Amino acid sequence: MKKIYTLFSALCLAAAAPGTLSAQNNFKLVEESVSNPDNTPAPVYPVPSERQLKWNETEFYAFFHYGMNTYTNEEWGSGMERETVFAPTQKPDPRQWLEVAKKAHMKGGIAVVKHHDGFCLWPTATTEHCTRNSSGYGKNVDIPKEFADAAREFKMKYGFYISPWDMSSPYWGKKDSNGKYTDEYAKKVFLPQCVELAKYGNDQFEMWFDGATGGDHAGGYGSYTSSQKRTIDNAQTYYDIPNLRDSIHNLLPNVIMWGVGGEARWIGNEEGYSGQTCWSMGDAESGDENAWQWAAGESDAKSTKGWFWDSSKYNQPKSAETLFKMYLETVGRNATFLLNLPPNRAGLIDESLVTIMEDLGKLLDQRLGTDLAKTAKVTTDCTREAMGKGNYDAKNLTDGNKDTYWAAPDGRTSAVIELSWDTPQTVRYVSLMEYIKLGQRVKKFKIETSEDGVTYTERGNGQTMTTVGYKRIIPLNGSTTNYSASGFKAKSVRITIENAKACPLLHTVEVF
Ligand code: FUL
C-alpha cells in the first residue's frame, strides 16, 4: 500500500507544478483512497453534526407550556400582567412533569420558561418581570433549576423554550431616532437570558426559539394602541443569531438551537405529523433531497386544546390512540415528536393527562415493545467488503448497536434484506433506521411478507415508501388512519430498497 501511495504521489506531483492547487488536490485524493483501510462508504452530503445526531436520538419528548398564561387562561399574554398574577396554588413540581413524560416513554422534555409575554420563570437579573416579584408559592420559583435537577435524576434530556419575542421589554423592537433597530434588546436582555439558562447545566439538548416576530400584541408598559404595535423585520440579525449560536455552543456543546437558531427545522404544522416523504434537509413536512444544509424535522403538537392549560374550559385531552397515531406519523416518519403537556394552576400535570400518558406508554409497549427481528435469521443479497477490522454484515441490523451497520457495495443503489423465522410470526410494523452519519440515502423501498417462504405479498400499500432517514416505521396494514392493525402471519419479511442516492446503509431493522 505504501508503495502505491508513493508512486501515485510522485506521478501527481510530476503532472502538476509543485504547490499548485491541482497537485495538492491529486495528492489528497490518493491519500484518501489509500487511507480507507475499512472501506468506509463515502458520505452523501449533507451529513448531521455530532450534536444533531445526538438530538435526533431523543425521538420523543415533552413540551411543558406553563407560566403567566396558566393564570390568565390566555394563549398569548400582553406583557402587562402583574408579577403577582403568577400564583400557583401549591409549589409547582417539574419533577412530576417529567415523571409523567417518562410514563409515555418520552426521553426528555423542554420547559417553557419565558413565553411571548416576557415573564421569566426564574429570578433573572435581566428584568423585574419575573418570579422574584411574585408572591406566595410563586415567589422566587426557579423552574429551570428544578426541571434540570429532575431531568438529571431521571436520566432524561432537557432543554428550555425561551421566547425571543418579549412583549414586556421596553427594548424589544425599539428603534433609534433614525428609525434603525437598536441592539439593546439582544445585548441587555435576550443574550444574557440565554446565558443565564445555560448555567443551569451544560448537558442541555435543545434551546427552542419560536419564530414569532411581534405584531398585534403591542404589549409592555401601556395600553394597546396601534402606535404601540411593534414588529421586527429580520429575526436572524435582530437577535444576533450567529453570535448567539457560537456563544451558547461554547457553553453547551450538545445543544441544538431550534427554529430561528437553524439547527433543526419546524415540520410546518402543529398537528403531529410529518410528510411520508421526509428528508432531513430543506423545509417543512417533506424537506428537500437537494438542500445543502442538514436540518431534521421536529413536530411540535398539543395533547390538549391549547398550548396552556385553561382552568375555565374542558381542555379536551387527546386519546392515547390518537397520540399513538401522531407518534407513528412523526417518529415513524423521520421527525422528532415534541408533545405538549401543559401543567395546571397547581403547577402539576393534571390527573386526566397522567392517565392518558400511562395508556400511551402501554400502547407503545404492546405494539412496538417486542422486536421479532432479534430472533430472525437475517440475509441480504449484497454486502460491502470490509477489508479492515470491522464488517458491514447483515447481522449488524439486529445487534442493537447503532454504530454498526449493514452496507451495500459501491455502485449499488438497490438491495434486498430478508428476515425469516422457522415458525410464522404475526407482524404488524417494520421499523428501519439509516446510518445517517454518512447521509440520508434511501429514495424508494417496498416491504413484502410471506407465510410459507415461497409466495410474497406486498404490504403497507397506502403508505408512501420513499424516504427512511433517522427512522421510518411502516404499519403493514398500509392504513393512514387505523394503526391498531391486527397483523399478518409471516415466516419471512422482505425489504427491498429500490432506489438510493448511493449505496444504502442501514444500522437497524426491527419487526413488531
Ligand atoms: C408558537 C407560539 O406562538 C405558541 O404560543 C406556542 O408556544 C408554540 C409552541 O409556538 O410559535
Side-chain angles (χ1 to χ4, degrees), residues 189-224:
V189 182
F190 191 58
L191 269 61
Q193 285 179 346
C194 291
V195 172
E196 280 185 13
L197 288 180
K199 293 193 179 138
Y200 285 100
N202 65 4
D203 46 356
Q204 293 171 41
F205 89 108
E206 178 170 339
M207 261 197 190
W208 214 91
F209 306 116
D210 97 290
T213 50
D216 283 353
H217 283 55
Y221 306 96
S223 57
Y224 294 102

Side-chain angles (χ1 to χ4, degrees), residues 9-27:
S9 345
L11 283 175
C12 294
L13 286 171
T20 63
L21 199 58
S22 107
Q24 283 165 5
N25 281 350
N26 286 339
F27 192 82

